[in-house]
């Protein structure tokens, strides 16, 4: 049973370009979360999605960032017109339909975005 | 607004001794508290959790204590091993399983 798969693991973009990060949740998991870790900081919640629905996007910057989790295929975090401050590790996590309210999330290995 | 705080950026412990990592929170509505361990260039992995209705949970060398009145929890690792060297994140679970993380504590276990 494969874990949460994220790709690419490393992504380099120039300022103004677009970055697309993909996440395939664990088999049987229908809840996806995106977190961002800036250098020397903890993980900050960005968005929580279920299939075809954004449940909570309270942590997403209002501009340039978007996320989706289509009926088929991986979840995608999209950052348009990247700036240097977007350089960070972006982690995806998933949980099963009913996680028993324990809050346990299963994390991928992260995608490290570097903006030149 | 830091709802979960880990005030010690780092901790150094001798192999075989006890490691104690601390965490404070402000939101009394959190249901569960979790500890995650993270190695460099890897994703966080779940270590141990505790329900808000309990005050202690033990799993092998790892024990988590919860003091609700003080809004404080701690992770005890005993005996500490060099392989325990990692970043430890305290997290709290609220609505929608959304986890709120602390900034992390770097644990170094010296052999």
């Amino acid at each position: 049973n494969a874990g949460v798969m994220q790709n690419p693991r490393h992504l380099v973009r120039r300022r103004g370009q677009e970055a697309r990060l993909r996440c395939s949740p664990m088999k049987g998991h229908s809840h996806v979360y995106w977190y961002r870790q800036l250098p020397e900081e903890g993980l900050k919640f960005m968005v929580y999605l279920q299939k075809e629905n954004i449940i909570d996007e309270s942590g997403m910057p209002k501009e340039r960032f978007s996320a989706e989790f289509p009926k088929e295929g991986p979840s995608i975090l999209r950052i348009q017109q990247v700036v240097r401050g977007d350089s960070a590790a972006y982690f995806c996590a998933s949980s099963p339909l009913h996680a028993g309210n324990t809050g346990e999330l299963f994390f991928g290995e992260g995608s490290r975005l570097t903006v030149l | 607004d830091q709802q979960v705080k880990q005030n010690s950026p780092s901790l150094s412990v001798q192999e075989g001794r006890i490691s104690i990592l601390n965490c404070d929170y402000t939101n009394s509505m959190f249901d569960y508290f979790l500890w995650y361990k993270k190695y460099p260039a890897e994703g966080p992995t779940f270590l141990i959790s505790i329900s808000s209705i309990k005050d202690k949970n033990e799993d092998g060398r790892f024990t988590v204590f919860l003091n609700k009145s003080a809004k404080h929890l701690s992770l005890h690792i005993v005996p500490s091993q060099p392989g325990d060297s990692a970043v430890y994140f305290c997290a709290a679970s609220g609505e929608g399983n959304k986890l709120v993380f602390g900034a992390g504590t770097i644990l170094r276990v010296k052999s």
Side-chain angles (χ1 to χ4, degrees), chain A:
Chain A
N1 185 17
V4 177
M5 303 299 291
Q6 290 189 247
N7 70 83
R9 291 293 309 277
H10 300 277
L11 182 63
V12 179
R13 285 287 178 265
R14 296 190 181 279
R15 280 179 298 170
Q17 292 184 320
E18 178 180 288
R20 285 195 182 210
L21 310 176
R22 296 173 198 80
C23 169
S24 295
M26 284 181 71
K27 187 176 180 181
H29 288 192
S30 59
H31 299 232
V32 165
Y33 303 76
W34 285 93
Y35 283 80
R36 175 166 66 174
Q37 184 181 24
L38 295 169
E40 309 300 324
E41 294 188 15
L43 290 88
K44 302 291 186 188
F45 168 78
M46 299 183 75
V47 62
Y48 163 36
L49 311 104
Q50 295 178 21
K51 285 283 187 182
E52 300 184 279
N53 282 308
I54 297 174
I55 307 302
D56 182 349
E57 55 182 349
S58 58
M60 287 275 273
K62 293 289 184 283
E63 298 177 351
R64 303 188 297 108
F65 285 72
S66 62
E68 63 176 8
F69 189 15
K71 187 177 180 181
E72 302 291 336
S75 175
I76 295 179
L77 179 67
R78 181 182 178 204
I79 311 171
Q80 295 178 288
Q81 299 173 329
V82 296
V83 300
R84 288 215 175 102
D86 297 332
S87 295
Y90 291 83
F91 291 96
C92 173
S94 71
S95 69
L97 180 61
H98 295 293
N101 293 323
T102 62
E104 182 183 348
L105 301 182
F106 297 82
F107 282 84
E109 294 189 317
S111 292
R112 277 148 189 85
L113 171 65
T114 301
V115 180
L116 302 177

Side-chain angles (χ1 to χ4, degrees), chain B residues 5 7 16 33 36 39 45 55 67 78 89 111:
Chain B
K5 294 182 183 180
N7 292 319
F33 301 90
Y36 277 79
Y39 292 117
T45 54
D55 54 20
N67 181 336
V78 55
F89 290 101
S111 56

Side-chain angles (χ1 to χ4, degrees), chain B residues 1-88:
Chain B
D1 176 25
Q2 277 190 289
Q3 296 189 68
V4 177
K5 294 182 183 180
Q6 292 177 257
N7 292 319
S8 298
S10 64
L11 175 67
S12 186
V13 172
Q14 198 66 36
E15 180 180 7
R17 306 294 290 269
I18 186 171
S19 296
I20 300 176
L21 297 106
N22 294 302
C23 178
D24 297 294
Y25 63 94
T26 57
N27 188 343
S28 57
M29 299 302 290
F30 286 136
D31 295 314
Y32 275 84
F33 301 90
L34 305 89
W35 286 93
Y36 277 79
K37 178 179 178 180
K38 185 181 180 304
Y39 292 117
E42 294 185 10
T45 54
F46 170 76
L47 194 57
I48 191 170
S49 66
I50 187 167
S51 164
S52 60
I53 62 173
K54 298 198 172 177
D55 54 20
K56 178 183 175 181
N57 187 27
E58 189 173 353
D59 183 3
R61 296 185 298 114
F62 303 91
T63 303
V64 57
F65 295 93
L66 175 62
N67 181 336
K68 283 206 306 183
S69 61
K71 294 193 175 70
H72 177 83
L73 66 153
S74 60
L75 173 68
H76 292 211
I77 307 173
V78 55
S80 301
Q81 300 173 354
D84 295 329
S85 297
V87 180
Y88 288 79

